[in-house]
């Protein structure tokens, strides 16, 4: 189906989010990752602005998540996030005639369908959504797919603006509160936990006892 396809990379839950290890056990980190990914997939698959959702993963759990949310899966061969997004973008364009793609990470559990719709509402060529500190890129829309070079490294927001300019494109910038909160550190998890009511992530934090650990 033509239109914009969402790309959600998923490397797996095992051993993920190691920066949370001082407070969370291995199993708690894995449970958190899966809860967050499900929240993101629910927002993406419920958005009326997307033609489809592609889980980019070589992990069997990624395949299961795609089935659970009636999404598709693409097993990439890349060594890094930028390569995985490039590969998946080519796949979406060649196999689904995608006119564009929307990269969204799996650790922005506060987003809702209206946040996704807002990112794409006036999208034309490149739209970038930064984290709360304008450091990382927490969503990136590209029409056509791979219209600019992806440079994910945890501090990619300004480099992505520059990358789009090298491609002759002035990126549209969209700031959404929900997209601003990703989870890599304990401080970021505390911020998300305070706002996570009504989400799978919030339910997991409560049921697992992690919320009590966070104080």
């Amino acid at each position: 189906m033509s239109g914009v396809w969402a790309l959600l990379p998923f490397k797996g839950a095992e051993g993920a989010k190691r920066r949370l290890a001082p407070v969370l056990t291995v199993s708690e980190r894995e449970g958190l990752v899966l809860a967050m990914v499900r929240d993101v997939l629910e927002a993406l698959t419920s958005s009326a602005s997307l033609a489809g959702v592609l889980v980019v993963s070589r992990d069997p759990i990624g395949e299961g998540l795609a089935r659970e949310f009636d999404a598709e899966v693409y097993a990439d061969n890349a060594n890094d996030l930028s390569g995985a997004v490039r590969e998946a973008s080519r796949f979406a364009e060649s196999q689904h005639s995608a006119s564009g793609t929307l990269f969204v990470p799996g650790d922005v559990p506060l987003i809702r369908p209206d946040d996704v719709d807002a990112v794409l509402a006036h999208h034309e060529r490149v739209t970038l959504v930064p984290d709360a500190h304008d450091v990382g890129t927490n969503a990136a829309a590209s029409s056509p797919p791979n219209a600019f070079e992806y440079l994910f490294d945890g501090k990619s927001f300004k480099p992505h603006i520059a990358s789009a300019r090298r491609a002759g494109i002035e990126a549209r910038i969209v700031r959404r509160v929900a997209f601003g909160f990703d989870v890599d550190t304990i401080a970021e998890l505390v911020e998300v936990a305070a706002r996570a009511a009504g989400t799978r992530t919030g339910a997991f934090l409560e049921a697992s006892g992690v919320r009590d650990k966070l104080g």
Side-chain angles (χ1 to χ4, degrees):
M1 182 188 299
S2 63
V4 176
W5 277 68
L7 311 176
L8 190 155
F10 177 75
K11 292 193 299 183
E14 185 176 354
K17 299 298 178 184
R18 295 184 181 181
R19 294 171 70 182
L20 304 179
V23 175
L24 274 63
T25 66
V26 171
S27 62
E28 287 169 344
R29 288 175 4 234
E30 291 177 359
L32 173 65
V33 166
L34 292 175
M36 291 194 297
V37 168
R38 286 186 167 99
D39 279 328
V40 174
L41 279 170
E42 182 174 359
L44 295 176
T45 55
S46 300
S47 168
S49 301
L50 291 168
V53 177
L54 199 61
V55 178
V56 185
S57 181
R58 300 190 292 255
D59 192 294
I61 294 177
E63 296 179 11
L65 288 167
R67 289 194 299 271
E68 181 180 342
F69 285 89
D70 198 24
E72 293 202 29
V73 65
Y74 170 72
D76 67 283
N77 295 301
N79 295 320
D80 60 17
L81 178 57
S82 297
V85 174
R86 282 194 299 272
E87 274 191 32
S89 296
R90 288 195 294 268
F91 176 83
E93 185 173 30
S94 64
Q95 298 300 312
H96 297 290
S97 301
S99 60
T101 55
L102 173 67
F103 156 81
V104 180
D107 63 350
V108 285
L110 303 182
I111 67 169
R112 298 290 190 272
D114 63 307
D115 294 301
V116 179
D117 296 340
V119 171
L120 294 176
H122 302 287
H123 167 71
E124 293 182 1
R125 299 186 68 189
V126 172
T127 298
L128 300 174
V129 184
D131 62 22
H133 307 289
D134 281 9
V135 175
T137 305
N138 281 356
S142 174
S143 295
N146 290 325
F148 70 111
E149 182 183 6
Y150 293 106
L151 300 167
F152 295 108
D153 65 354
K155 300 179 180 179
S156 62
F157 177 54
K158 290 181 180 178
H160 277 151
I161 293 174
S163 174
R165 285 174 178 162
R166 287 194 295 273
I169 304 167
E170 191 63 33
R172 169 177 169 261
I173 310 302
V174 175
R175 291 177 173 83
R176 298 284 293 187
V177 172
F179 266 110
F181 293 103
D182 56 325
V183 178
D184 287 307
T185 67
I186 296 297
E188 289 168 345
L189 179 56
V190 169
E191 290 181 331
V192 165
R195 298 167 170 82
T199 67
R200 289 176 171 83
T201 299
F204 169 79
L205 294 173
E206 188 70 33
S208 65
V210 170
R211 187 183 297 277
D212 292 336
K213 285 187 179 184
L214 298 173

